[in-house]
Amino acid sequence: MTDDIKRMQGAVAAEQAYRDYRKNADYLERHGMYAPADERDACGVGFVAAIDGKARRDVVVAAIDALKAVWHRGAVDADGKTGDGAGIYLAIPQDFFLEQTHSSKKVKGPIAVGMVFLPRTDFAAQERCRTIVETEILRFGYSILGWRQVPVDTSVIGDKAIATRPEIEQIMVGNPRWEEDEGDPDDAFERDLFIIRRRIENQVLAENLKDFYICSLSCRSVIYKGLFLAEQLSVFYPDLLDDRFVSNFAVFHQRYSTNTWPSWKLAQPFRMLAHNGEINTLRGNLNWMRSHETRMFAPAFGDYNEDVKPIVQAGSSDSAALDAVVEALVQAGRSLPLTKTLLIPPAWASKIHMPELHRDLFNYCNCVMEPWDGPAGVVACDGRWVIGGMDRNGLRPLRYSRTEDELLIVGSETGMVPLVGHTIVEKGRVGPGEMIGIDLKHGVFFHDHELKDHLADEKPYSQWVKGIAHLEDQVAKRGFEPIAYEKGELKRRQNLFGITMEDLELILAPMVLDAKESLGSMGDDTPMAVLSRRYRGLHHFFRQQFSQVTNPPIDPLREYRVMSLKTRLGNLGNVYDQAPSQTKILQLKQPLVLNSDLVALKAYFGERATTIDCTYDVEGGWRALRDSLQRIRMEAEDAVREGRGQVILDDRGVSEGRAPVPMILATGAVHSHLVEEGLRSFSSIVVCSGECLDVHYVAVLVGVGATLVNAYLAEAAIADRHRRGLFPNYTLEECLERFKEAVAQGLLKVMSKMGISIISSYRGGYNFEAVGLSRSLCAEYFPGLITRISGIGLAGISNKVLSLHRRAFEADEAPLEIGGLYRFRKGGEKHALEGPTIHQLQHAVATDSYVAYQKYSSAIDAAEPVAIRDLMGFSETVEPAPLDEIESITEIRKRFVTPGMSLGALSPEAHETLTIAMNRIGAKADSGEGGESKERFTPRPNGDNANSSIKQVASGRFGVTAEY
C-alpha cells in the first residue's frame, strides 16, 4: 500500500471521526452538558515590530521563531499533530502580491488581500461564496486582480486538522480611485474593505452557507492561521518562508482553548488583535453591545452603518467578540490605544495614585461603555498602531525587549527570540492596566505613561468630566430623609414579603452592627427552593457562578483597588462619539440607594423619571401576574420612547387586593424587553423592592439588569430596630450607611467569585444558573440564563406569593415566621440532617447495630425530598440484571474519589481519616490544593495508609491547579 493511499484512508477516517465528534458535541449541547457560549481561551501571544515603521524580513523571522518558542502554551490532540490553532498577522508584502496578480497593468496604490476560508467539499457553496465576495467588492467600485490558491503543505498537520481543513484562497483587490480619495487614501480603502467584509458575512449568513470565513480583508495586513501547532505554521504556509515576505510588524498567537471545540476560524490572531485570557463579563458585554447598536452611528460609515451590525456575530468566542468590537470602534475613527483603554481600562477609581489627566481620561472612558473585564493579555495592530496591553489585574504575563537596531519584541515569555548579535537596550514587563505601543507611521515607541499622556492630550477630558453630577451632592442639598412605617404596617409588609425573624436577627442586624455580611459555615442541608414547602424568595432559585481554574477569582479584600461599584445614570449615548455630551451623567458610588438617595434622584431627573406600579390583582391568580408583567413592560417601553428614561419599578403599592410582583421577575422582564426593543441604552432601571434584604438579592437584581436597588423595607426594619434602642451606638443615618457598606462589600465578594472587577460589566450578565425555574419562564424573562433543570413557572410563583398575601392580610398583627433556613428551628424550614436522625446514626455506629442503622435508613428514605437525587427511586418493573453480569463491589470502589478538600476546609485528623478509609477500600483520595506532608507518604505500623493517591498542587492566586 502506497503512502498516498494510507494518507487518504487516514484522512477519510479522520473526517468520519470529526463527524462523530461534532455529533457528540451537538448531543451534549442539546442535553445541557456543553454550552458554546462558555468557550474560553488561554494562550501564548506577542508581537515583533520595527520601531522605525520600516518593513524588514527579520521582523517576520523573529515572530515565527517567537511563535515556535511558545509551543508549550498550546494544546495538542492525541494524534500529536493537530493543535488548537496558531497564526501570524503581518503587513501585506506589496511586491510579493503584486507579482501574484500577473497583471501587466500598473496598479495604483496598495493591493488589498483577502485571506478566505471556503467550503472544501461543497463545490456549489464554494462557488456561491466566491460570487458573493466578488459582487460586494465590485459594488463598491474596486477591481478584482485575481484569486490565488494559497500554497499549503498538508503533510505536517494532523488527520483531524485535515478532516476539517477549508479551501484556502486569497483574493487580491485593487483601488482604481486611490489617488482621488481625499485625506489618507489608505484609510478610506481600509474602511470600505471593512464594510465590504461585513456585507459579505451578512449575506453568507442569510443564505446559510457553511464553512465560510474571511480571516482578513485589508489593504494593510494579512493573516495566516489554522488548526495546527506553532512549529507547523511556516511549513504549512510556504509563503512565510519567502524572502520577499517583509513586514514592519508581526502579531503571533498560539491557542490553548478551554471549554472549547477547536476550529480553523477560531484560531488567532483575529482581524486586529490576539488575546490571551478569558472575558468573564462576556454575557453582559454582548447584551450591552446589542443595546448600544441602536444608537451607534459613525459618520465614517455613511449609509452603511447598518451593514456593520450586529457588531458581534452569533457564535463568536470571547476573543472573537472582543476583536469585533475593537475593529468597529477603530474603523469608526477611534485610535487603537484609546480603544484598548475604553474596553480594557486600568484600575483608577479606588485611591490609586496617578496623574489627574490620566484619571480624567479613564473617568471619561467609564462614561462611554462597560469594560470587557477578565484576565487579558492583548496585542493588536490596525496598520498605524501596534500595541501590547494588560487588564487591570495583570493576570497574564506580557514582557518586552527592545534592541539597539530598533526591534521591539513583546510576548508571553521572556527570551522568546534569541537576539544573537542584537544589543538589548531595554527590557521589562507590561504591568497591570499598562500598555506600550508603537506609532508605525511616525516611528515612535511609547512607554505606558507616555502613551497615556498622548491619549489624555488628544481631547479636553478634564473639562468634559466636569459635566458629571454626583448623587451625594444632590442628597446633601436635600438632607436625610429615611423611610419608616408604623409598627403594624411594618410587620404586615414583612409577612407579605416573606421576611422572617431569622432574616432580621441573623442577616440584617449583623450588617448594621459589623458593617459586613454575617458569617456562616459551609454547606446547606435545607431543601432546594423549588422543593421547599415554605416560601422562598425568587433569589433562592439563582445560584452564583464561579470562575474557572484557569481564571482565578479576585481577592476583594487585598485587591480592592482594582474593583469598582461606581454606577451611572444618564444614560448611554453613541459609543462611536468623542464628545462632552457623553459625560452628562449622574454618578453614584454603588448601586444600593437609600430613601434619601431615591428622593434626591427623583428630584434631579424630574419629569425624566417615571414610576411603574409592580403589583397585580390577587383575584386574577397567575394570569394576572402574567398580564401585569406585560403591562409593566409596555409602560416601561412607552416611558422610554417618550423621553422618560429613568424607569422606577416599585412594589410599595401592595394592598389587600394587590400582591407584589417578585421584583427579580419584573426587573428581568423590563430589562430583556428594552434590550429586545433596542431601548436599554436610553434608560436606567431603578428597583424599589420590599423583599430585598441581603446581598445575594441585590446581586441577582443587578445581574438581571437593575441599575440601582432600593431595599426600602430593609431600611424601614433598621429604622424600627433603631427606634427600639437595638443599635444604641449609632445614629439612624450611621446605621443605614453601615448597611450600605455591608452590601457594597458583599457585592464585591460576589463579583470577585467570577473574577469581575466592575459592577457595570456585571450588570445584565446573568452570571447565575437557575435551579428550579421553568425553561420557558427563563427564556421569556431571563434570556441567556443557564437553566439545566426545569421547574416552576408563573403559576407556581404566583401560588407562593398569594399564600404569603393571604397570611399577611387575614390576621392582624400576625407574628413573623421563625425561619429556620440558616439554623434548625422547630417548626421552621426542613433540614436533611435533623437532631433525631443524627442521634439515630450515632447510636447505630456506637452500638454497631444493623437494626439501629435500618431505622436511620428508613427515616432518611421517608423524609421529604431535599436534593434532586431524593426525587429518584428504583423501578420495580425492571427485571434485575443477573449477578454474574454485575461488577464486584471491589471493582466499583476503585472508581470512588474523595473531593479535593484542602487542609483548612477539613481538620488534619478528618483529612487523614478519609484518606485512610479510601485506601482501605481500594478507592482514591485527593490531597486537595497544597498537597500533604511527607509524613503521610509512609504506611503506619498498624497498616493504615494516609498517603493520598491524587496529589494536587496550586501556585496560588496567579497560577493554575494541576493534578499528578
Side-chain angles (χ1 to χ4, degrees), residues 208-251:
N208 200 29
L209 296 169
K210 305 293 185 182
D211 301 323
F212 172 85
Y213 180 75
I214 300 178
C215 302
S216 60
L217 179 59
S218 169
C219 66
R220 292 172 174 162
S221 55
V222 64
I223 295 173
Y224 284 77
K225 68 178 185 178
L227 200 61
F228 35 71
L229 306 177
E231 63 266 27
Q232 298 168 345
L233 174 67
S234 57
V235 181
F236 182 80
Y237 288 119
D239 282 357
L240 299 174
L241 301 176
D242 194 302
D243 288 339
R244 292 169 295 175
F245 243 77
V246 296
S247 178
N248 57 356
F249 77 92
V251 172

Side-chain angles (χ1 to χ4, degrees), residues 706-781:
T707 309
L708 298 178
V709 177
N710 172 231
Y712 68 86
L713 204 54
E715 181 178 344
I718 293 171
D720 175 67
R721 295 172 75 84
H722 183 271
R723 178 183 58 78
R724 292 187 283 129
L726 298 181
F727 302 130
N729 298 325
Y730 306 104
T731 66
L732 176 56
E733 189 170 2
E734 289 173 335
C735 289
L736 295 176
E737 286 300 323
R738 293 174 71 83
F739 172 63
K740 284 181 69 174
E741 176 63 17
V743 172
Q745 294 301 321
L747 286 175
L748 292 176
K749 178 198 70 176
V750 171
M751 289 160 51
S752 71
K753 293 176 182 179
M754 277 296 295
I756 294 174
S757 305
I758 307 297
I759 192 73
S760 59
S761 301
Y762 183 85
R763 182 174 293 106
Y766 300 112
N767 294 294
F768 305 93
E769 178 177 353
V771 180
L773 294 179
S774 79
R775 294 186 179 93
S776 61
L777 181 138
C778 291
E780 174 68 20
Y781 301 112

Side-chain angles (χ1 to χ4, degrees), residues 402-545:
R402 180 182 178 185
T403 67
E404 191 176 36
D405 60 346
E406 295 298 89
L407 201 65
L408 184 69
I409 298 100
V410 179
S412 300
E413 308 279 350
T414 186
M416 295 175 299
V417 180
L419 297 174
V420 179
H422 294 266
T423 302
I424 298 177
V425 297
E426 181 185 350
K427 60 182 178 180
R429 63 185 284 264
V430 182
E434 293 184 354
M435 173 173 51
I436 59 175
I438 299 174
D439 181 343
L440 296 171
K441 185 175 182 179
H442 298 103
V444 180
F445 170 65
F446 290 86
H447 295 88
D448 176 66
H449 65 92
E450 296 166 339
L451 193 47
K452 287 171 181 172
D453 285 342
H454 174 77
L455 295 176
D457 288 339
E458 286 185 331
K459 301 286 183 182
Y461 297 115
S462 296
Q463 291 297 319
W464 290 4
V465 297
K466 290 180 180 178
I468 299 174
H470 299 275
L471 185 62
E472 294 80 13
D473 298 334
Q474 306 302 315
V475 174
K477 294 176 184 178
R478 302 187 61 87
F480 181 53
E481 301 179 54
I483 191 171
Y485 290 102
E486 64 90 19
K487 182 179 178 182
E489 180 64 15
L490 175 62
K491 186 169 290 186
R492 185 188 301 279
R493 285 178 176 261
Q494 288 172 337
N495 275 315
L496 177 61
F497 287 102
I499 295 173
T500 66
M501 285 298 299
E502 188 179 55
D503 290 329
L504 299 177
E505 297 294 337
L506 297 184
I507 304 299
L508 190 61
M511 294 173 78
V512 175
L513 294 172
D514 303 325
K516 61 180 68 173
E517 283 186 283
S518 58
L519 295 177
S521 61
M522 294 176 63
D524 180 8
D525 69 337
T526 58
M528 299 172 62
V530 70
L531 299 178
S532 176
R533 291 184 178 273
R534 296 180 173 273
Y535 177 81
R536 299 279 285 275
L538 206 59
H539 60 303
H540 286 285
F541 291 80
F542 288 72
R543 299 295 177 95
Q544 296 170 12
Q545 291 185 315

